[in-house]
């Protein structure tokens, strides 16, 4: 690998320091690094789409949102994407075993291997790698403001999730999976592309594989706060598939409707309101991971 493009989100935590660490690490590896700093949401997609093909790899330095902007531009194409953790949650980097310290991540990825995974795709062309959801996970993302994340880091999400859980909001779900309609009351719905994140600390369901050409709609439907805490405990213990109030349905084409309409999140970024149309692009993401 001789030339890489580094896309930096200046709003990420300690972006300036981490950018300098990344440049120094690429220099030590004798790899030419060209840096582009984003200026607005969506800019990373434009940069990667217009310039990515000229490089051996495109690296991102930011949060999961920055990663997915670049992945959206390069889905099903070359070159591969390397993730440098610069956000608050860094779920993708943690889940793929990428070191969080930039100085360690750069050499690990340059000497690493390529990892292929499916991507979820929205009707507007945006993609997601981990999952898209409404309900508790969306409330967690929405409740962790930028100022709280600056003060608490990843604990901001714990704080926001606790507040959202105690409110115990439910809504009516109409979920169409490959043409079959399912309706029920729920507290959270997640279209998952991976079975677990954060090294297995959070498990969404059983049989969810990142490269099977399918997404898995997991509906969590506790009837009261006690059942909600029980489900959360089983998510942490990896036994949520045993809970009678949890249902997972696999497919390649989904329509998610809620009453009332709700904001959705995908890979930690807030989207528009439901209804949403979701499809799968098999093995469309090319990511670098450590060996």
């Amino acid at each position: 690998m001789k030339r890489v493009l580094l896309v930096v989100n200046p709003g990420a935590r300690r972006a300036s320091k981490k950018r300098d660490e990344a440049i120094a690490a690429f220099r030590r590896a004798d790899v030419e690094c060209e840096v582009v700093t984003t200026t607005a949401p969506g800019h990373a997609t434009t940069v990667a789409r217009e310039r990515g093909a000229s490089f051996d790899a495109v690296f991102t330095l930011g949060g999961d949102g920055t990663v997915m902007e670049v992945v959206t531009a390069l889905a099903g194409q070359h070159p591969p994407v390397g993730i440098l953790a610069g956000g608050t949650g860094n779920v993708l980097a943690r889940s793929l075993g990428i070191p969080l310290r930039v100085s360690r991540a750069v050499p690990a990825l340059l000497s690493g291997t390529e990892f292929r995974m499916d991507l979820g795709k929205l009707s507007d062309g945006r993609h997601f790698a981990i999952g898209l959801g409404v309900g508790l996970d969306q409330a967690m993302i929405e409740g962790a403001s930028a100022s709280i994340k600056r003060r608490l880091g990843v604990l901001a999400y714990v704080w926001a999730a606790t507040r959202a859980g105690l409110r115990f909001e439910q809504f009516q779900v109409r979920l169409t999976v490959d043409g079959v309609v399912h309706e029920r009351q729920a507290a959270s719905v997640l279209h998952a592309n991976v079975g677990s994140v954060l090294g297995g600390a959070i498990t969404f369901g059983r049989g969810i594989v990142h490269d099977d050409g399918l997404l898995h709609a997991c509906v969590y439907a506790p009837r009261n706060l006690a059942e909600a805490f029980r489900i959360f405990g089983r998510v942490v213990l990896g036994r949520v598939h045993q809970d009678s109030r949890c249902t997972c349905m696999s497919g390649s084409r989904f329509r998610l409707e809620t009453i009332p309409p709700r904001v959705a999140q995908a890979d930690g970024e807030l989207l528009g309101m439901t209804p949403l149309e979701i499809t799968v692009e098999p093995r469309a993401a090319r990511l670098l991971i450590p060996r």
Side-chain angles (χ1 to χ4, degrees):
M1 198 172 293
K2 298 298 183 183
R3 296 180 69 239
V4 301
L5 178 66
L6 176 62
V7 181
V8 179
N9 178 358
R13 301 181 78 208
R14 301 185 295 277
S16 178
K17 178 183 177 181
K18 291 193 174 188
R19 179 199 60 207
D20 293 342
E21 289 178 3
I23 293 171
F26 283 120
R27 186 182 301 119
R28 287 193 297 270
D30 197 25
V31 173
E32 180 184 343
C33 173
E34 186 169 330
V35 180
V36 175
T37 301
T38 60
T39 58
H43 187 202
T45 297
T46 301
V47 170
R49 184 172 289 139
E50 292 179 350
R51 305 188 58 191
S54 302
F55 296 84
D56 298 319
V58 177
F59 281 72
T60 66
L61 178 57
D64 294 312
T66 305
V67 176
M68 293 317 302
E69 284 193 24
V70 171
V71 167
T72 287
L74 300 178
Q77 304 177 38
H78 296 272
V81 177
I83 303 171
L84 303 180
T88 301
N90 301 307
V91 173
L92 277 165
R94 294 174 191 271
S95 299
L96 295 173
I98 298 172
L100 298 185
R101 288 183 58 184
V102 169
S103 59
R104 292 182 55 211
V106 168
L109 295 179
L110 289 176
S111 62
T113 188
E114 188 176 301
F115 178 82
R116 301 294 293 265
M117 69 185 300
D118 301 335
L119 291 174
K121 184 178 181 181
L122 300 169
S123 57
D124 64 4
R126 286 180 293 179
H127 293 77
F128 61 91
I130 300 296
L132 177 151
V134 296
L136 181 59
D137 57 332
Q138 168 269 321
M140 175 184 71
I141 300 300
E142 194 169 34
S145 66
S147 60
I148 294 173
K149 287 191 288 187
R150 281 195 295 270
R151 292 200 303 269
L152 300 180
V154 73
L155 291 178
Y157 293 120
V158 177
W159 177 83
T162 301
R163 290 189 63 195
L166 291 173
R167 288 199 302 270
F168 189 60
E169 296 179 354
Q170 292 183 299
F171 50 91
Q172 188 68 25
V173 177
R174 179 182 172 90
L175 183 63
T176 305
V177 184
D178 291 342
V180 179
V181 177
H182 308 266
E183 295 188 77
R184 70 184 309 179
Q185 196 85 357
S188 185
V189 179
L190 178 68
H191 291 71
N193 188 40
V194 297
S196 62
V197 295
L198 307 179
I202 300 293
T203 300
F204 303 130
R206 172 175 281 184
I208 303 175
V209 183
H210 68 271
D211 60 355
D212 60 358
L214 299 170
L215 290 178
H216 306 263
C218 301
V219 181
Y220 306 105
R223 291 166 295 192
N224 50 55
L225 194 56
E227 289 187 348
F229 279 112
R230 182 190 71 205
I231 290 172
F232 177 76
R234 289 180 173 174
V235 165
V236 173
L237 294 173
R239 299 204 303 265
V240 69
H241 61 278
Q242 298 174 353
D243 201 293
S244 62
R245 304 306 300 172
C246 301
T247 305
C248 283
M249 296 160 281
S250 303
S252 59
R253 184 173 295 274
F254 302 79
R255 178 175 173 83
L256 173 61
E257 303 170 82
T258 64
I259 302 174
R262 298 185 66 94
V263 176
Q265 71 84 25
D267 289 353
E269 297 295 311
L270 296 176
L271 308 174
M273 306 287 287
T274 55
L276 293 170
E277 303 281 350
I278 307 158
T279 55
V280 184
E281 289 195 359
R283 294 174 58 85
R286 301 180 63 215
L287 303 173
L288 295 173
I289 61 171
R291 290 187 184 274

